[in-house]
Amino acid sequence: MANAWLVSGYSALVHRGRRLTATVEAWVRGRIDRCDVCGSFGPRPLEPRLMAPALVRLWNLSPELTRAFVEKESGFCGVCGSNLRARRLARVILDLLAPPDPTIRCLDDWWSRADSRCWRIALFNAIPGVDWIAARHAGPHVLRCEYEPSRTDDPTIRREDLTRLNLDTGSLDMVVTSETLEHVPDLNQAWAELRRVLRPGGWHVFTVPQRPDQAKTVARARLSPSGKLEALDELALLYHPGGDWGWPVFTEFGLDLNEVLDRAGFDATLKFGPVSHRDVAQVWVAQRRADSSPVGTKSVSN
């Protein structure tokens, strides 16, 4: 028992030491800003251990590109826990929906205003920090969803399959997904459903993993008729976040994603510059074309 306490205490000290070192390094390197999710100001420490060695190996990532993914997935806000991709998503949401107003510093500020309730938004999966803020404002205008087959006991969170959404046709102004689409077995059906539930001119704002050396979007795995997971084109099965554990990856998105979105009936805009070896935390805005008819119709009680 004494040894167990010693090991636990030592691990806690090592963890605090790493966090302190990362925080000091963030101050020194100037990774300090105001959080677009909660509005707090502070350092954004990185957590290199987030990148699993198996994922680095299966993706054949260089040290520079590995660090770019670390920056995307960490740089945590000390108040809301948002990472870089979450803060960039928040900034894009505000740029699209919030009126120019110096009192709106962050997503939390905007959702606290009565005029934000005229926009109906669905958020998929627990986006760091954003989900925490959304929980404070959840209602008919902010829908928190988990993509099936995820499970949750929280009654305020809807369980939704992106290929069979239980939402009215044209009922949403915006759908936000983050690191989700790559895990959908039938991506074309997901595009069709997103187009159906968005009003004409509505936006799908999202992030997906992209590498600068991946030119084309490819299917990496599929589900057989019996439901068995199968790799394609002699590629090894890939999972996030662990490489060889986690959620299976069905699609790897390439630099041609704008063309993929065009074929799916969306006008695409890439925010925060091109994908590069130094920055992989881009945000995509896919706007449903006004002349793009939804596939099928559906009306449900919400």
Side-chain angles (χ1 to χ4, degrees):
M1 180 66 71
N3 287 340
W5 278 105
L6 285 173
V7 170
S8 176
Y10 176 75
S11 298
L13 284 173
V14 169
H15 179 67
R16 290 194 188 100
R18 287 198 185 107
R19 291 192 64 179
L20 177 59
T21 300
T23 301
V24 170
E25 192 251 359
W27 280 105
V28 170
R29 294 185 177 274
R31 281 198 305 275
I32 311 161
D33 59 22
R34 185 171 300 284
C35 178
D36 285 317
V37 177
C38 70
S40 67
F41 186 85
R44 308 299 175 218
L46 302 183
E47 178 47 79
R49 291 160 63 88
L50 283 176
M51 283 300 292
L55 183 58
V56 173
R57 173 176 54 81
L58 287 167
W59 263 352
N60 193 28
L61 298 182
S62 67
E64 184 180 35
L65 196 49
T66 299
R67 182 176 177 83
F69 275 103
V70 167
E71 291 179 350
K72 175 183 180 178
E73 294 301 322
S74 59
F76 296 111
C77 172
V79 174
C80 70
S82 64
N83 54 14
L84 176 60
R85 65 176 162 91
R87 290 193 295 277
R88 286 186 171 183
L89 280 166
R91 174 42 49 196
V92 171
I93 293 169
L94 290 172
D95 288 346
L96 289 171
L97 302 182
D101 187 330
T103 67
I104 302 176
R105 305 170 304 158
C106 62
L107 200 58
D108 192 28
D109 287 347
W110 179 63
W111 266 333
S112 299
R113 293 167 52 120
D115 57 355
S116 72
R117 294 173 176 80
C118 67
W119 298 101
R120 198 160 188 245
I121 305 172
L123 302 167
F124 276 81
N125 294 348
I127 303 167
V130 175
D131 187 65
W132 179 62
I133 295 297
R136 299 169 56 181
H137 304 283
H141 62 297
V142 181
L143 306 179
R144 297 166 65 216
C145 308
E146 280 289 338
Y147 166 55
E148 287 267 331
S150 296
R151 293 290 186 267
T152 174
D153 295 326
D154 188 336
T156 67
I157 299 178
R158 301 170 63 110
R159 290 201 292 269
E160 292 283 354
D161 182 339
L162 278 169
T163 65
R164 295 188 299 274
L165 291 170
N166 191 37
L167 294 163
D168 288 345
T169 296
S171 62
L172 297 177
D173 297 293
M174 179 179 287
V175 176
V176 183
T177 67
S178 190
E179 313 299 281
T180 300
L181 293 174
E182 65 273 21
H183 303 299
V184 179
D186 190 341
L187 184 61
N188 287 332
Q189 182 59 30
W191 293 137
E193 276 292 88
L194 287 164
R195 196 168 70 244
R196 181 184 67 79
V197 301
L198 286 169
R199 63 167 175 79
W203 301 275
H204 176 209
V205 178
F206 68 97
T207 69
V208 290
Q210 284 185 282
R211 307 192 316 269
D213 56 354
Q214 177 86 30
K216 295 291 184 180
T217 298
V218 297
R220 184 160 189 140
R222 68 181 177 190
L223 291 178
S224 71
S226 65
K228 181 182 178 182
L229 183 64
E230 298 177 340
L232 296 175
D233 298 328
E234 300 182 351
L235 295 171
L237 290 174
L238 182 68
Y239 300 82
H240 292 162
D244 53 6
W245 62 269
W247 292 272
V249 174
F250 291 95
T251 304
E252 291 209 285
F253 293 97
L255 302 181
D256 64 341
L257 183 49
N258 58 327
E259 300 168 22
V260 173
L261 289 165
D262 179 66
R263 293 193 295 271
F266 295 94
D267 292 324
T269 305
L270 183 63
K271 301 291 187 178
F272 301 101
V275 178
S276 72
H277 283 82
R278 293 189 175 183
D279 191 338
V280 292
Q282 285 67 33
V283 176
W284 283 92
V285 178
Q287 186 171 28
R288 187 195 147 190
R289 297 190 190 113
D291 61 350
S292 175
S293 299
V295 176
T297 59
K298 190 174 185 180
S299 181
V300 298
S301 298
N302 294 314

